[in-house]
């Protein structure tokens, strides 16, 4: 199974899911980033379905992409004396106080798909997620190979994820590290699109007006890339040809655009982390040792590869 993060968004409230079959009685409090994208929707479904299958009672809270909502949810889980807390942090910073409260209450915490930057790693038991820096590097490596025979400057615009989030920070860093070795690659504009399709379209429209000569778009997730495609087509250009597009996720809509030639390359970031999360939850509740970092395996897709696997995509 794989995991990662590409968005956050709407919805709201806290819900509970009943237990499925087997296992000791465990209650998990889970704070999700939001519900803005196909990736996040699939991630939530994976967590909810896996909890039922594992016999774990799930108290689910949607943070609507706001850190203060997640902190409130975690404090609520502590008050309810859940057995384990899992959450996907909206941003990397500012968690030490509430995580210390969970630690003092002897409730283990699992980070899912996004990291925190706390220096005190005793505040959580494990981090289950993708290597976002590696995802950025994979995107950069494809670009370097694509333009290996070109001497001309390559003007790149970048649609970043939510400001301050781990995937946005790391995907930017990994990509920049790889392309930085060749001065012909220039990031001429870079702005957050908040991991949403609507914002991706809006920012790309602005890029097209302010930067007439764009060769490549690097979007930190499929949804922003799909919004950007609308803007590119609206400007009378051909996505995938006039402007080459690289995205991260490999959700079904993104893979369809890749198969259709509107996206050129996708780095996979799978949301189906539920089974792994429930396995880790059972272990930490029992007091078993678990790895401090669980990195998930993912691949990449070209247009031809997308055509081959599109019909079997689960999300």
């Amino acid at each position: 199974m794989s995991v990662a993060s590409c968005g956050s968004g709407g919805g709201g409230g806290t819900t509970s899911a009943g237990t499925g079959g087997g296992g000791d009685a465990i209650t998990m409090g889970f704070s999700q980033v939001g519900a803005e994208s196909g990736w996040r929707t699939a991630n939530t479904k994976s967590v909810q379905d896996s909890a039922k299958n594992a016999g774990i009672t799930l108290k689910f809270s949607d943070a609507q992409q706001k850190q203060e909502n997640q902190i409130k949810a975690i404090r609520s889980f502590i008050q309810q004396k859940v057995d384990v807390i899992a959450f996907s942090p909206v941003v990397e910073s500012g968690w030490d106080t509430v995580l210390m409260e969970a630690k003092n209450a002897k409730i283990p915490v699992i980070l899912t798909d996004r990291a925190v930057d706390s220096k005190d790693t005793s505040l959580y038991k494990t981090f289950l997620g993708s290597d976002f820096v590696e995802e950025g590097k994979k995107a950069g490596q494809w670009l370097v190979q694509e333009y290996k025979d070109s001497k001309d400057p390559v003007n790149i615009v970048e649609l970043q994820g939510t400001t301050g989030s781990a995937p946005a920070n790391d995907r930017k860093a990994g990509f920049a590290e790889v392309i930085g070795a060749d001065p012909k690659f220039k990031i001429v504009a870079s702005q957050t699109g908040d991991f949403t399709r609507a914002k991706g379209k809006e920012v790309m429209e602005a890029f097209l007006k302010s930067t007439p000569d764009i060769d490549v778009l690097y979007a930190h997730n499929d949804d922003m890339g799909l919004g950007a495609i609308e803007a590119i087509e609206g400007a009378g250009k051909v996505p995938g040809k006039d402007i080459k597009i690289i995205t991260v996720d490999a959700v079904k809509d993104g893979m369809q655009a890749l198969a259709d030639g509107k996206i050129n390359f996708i780095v996979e970031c799978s949301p189906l982390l539920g089974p792994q999360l429930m396995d880790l939850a059972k272990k930490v509740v029992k007091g078993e040792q678990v790895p401090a970092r669980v990195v998930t395996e993912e691949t990449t897709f070209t247009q031809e590869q997308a055509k081959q696997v599109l019909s079997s995509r689960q999300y």
Side-chain angles (χ1 to χ4, degrees), residues 283-302:
K283 288 178 178 177
V284 299
V285 168
K286 289 179 181 177
E288 296 179 17
Q289 288 293 114
V290 295
R293 179 74 167 96
V294 180
V295 179
T296 54
E297 294 182 8
E298 291 149 345
T299 187
T300 59
F301 295 98
T302 61

Side-chain angles (χ1 to χ4, degrees), residues 210-230:
S210 63
T211 313
D213 186 14
I214 298 172
D215 300 305
V216 176
L217 163 67
Y218 170 44
H220 288 189
N221 80 337
D222 289 347
D223 276 78
M224 291 188 295
L226 292 165
I229 286 171
E230 295 180 39

